[in-house]
Amino acid sequence: MNVPFYEKIWMWAAGGIIVAFVAIVLITSIGGALQPPSHVETIDPTKVFTDPRFAHPAVTVDANGTTVVAFGMMFGFTPAEIRVAAGKPVTFRMTSADVTHGFLIVGTNANTMLVPGYVSQFTTVFRQPGEYLIVCNEYCGLGHHLMSAKLIVEEARP
Ligand code: CUA
């Protein structure tokens, strides 16, 4: 078979790209221990209120920084008002006591799902003081559109 030189270059280039794509998938999946990169912590969704991790949903500040413990439930978040300091790392630890909810702090990069049975955790920094709306962005039932809370980012005290 007579394949022109330039045709051969393109065939090898296309083959190389396919090999690279397959290699990326294999390397990242094996490197990530064959699971998505997430904080895999489980919880019994029927015992959220008595679980010591979620028995007292609140904002705590200690040597490790600010931690917000909260949960979602049809159709609200507890606590409904969260106060944190601007410019400091804030770690959110959250779960759901019933169905899957969303947790989006509008205008920030804070956005996660609250899946029953799992603890969602992420850390972020709010640079701009002010009042932010928190909404549920996963359809969770008839009151989904009512499910909201408030984040107040206070000017950091020196
Ligand atoms: Cu909770 Cu939608």
Side-chain angles (χ1 to χ4, degrees), residues 55-153:
H56 306 286
V59 181
T60 52
V61 183
D62 59 21
N64 302 320
T66 304
T67 306
V68 177
V69 172
F71 64 85
M73 196 181 174
M74 287 187 238
F75 295 101
F77 297 100
T78 304
E81 191 179 295
I82 297 168
R83 265 172 205 277
V84 298
K88 300 244 169 73
V90 180
T91 298
F92 286 83
R93 285 177 51 75
M94 291 175 298
T95 191
S96 165
D98 43 35
V99 300
T100 298
H101 296 282
F103 182 89
L104 167 69
I105 305 177
V106 179
T108 72
N109 67 348
N111 184 4
T112 188
M113 279 170 88
L114 308 183
V115 181
Y118 292 90
V119 177
S120 304
Q121 178 174 322
F122 66 88
T123 302
T124 190
V125 176
F126 303 102
R127 307 225 171 260
Q128 200 63 42
E131 224 179 272
Y132 295 83
L133 175 68
I134 301 172
V135 294
C136 173
N137 58 351
E138 294 285 341
Y139 183 75
C140 53
L142 287 178
H144 163 69
H145 61 290
L146 302 171
M147 191 165 169
S148 68
K150 191 163 43 167
L151 172 79
I152 296 162
V153 179

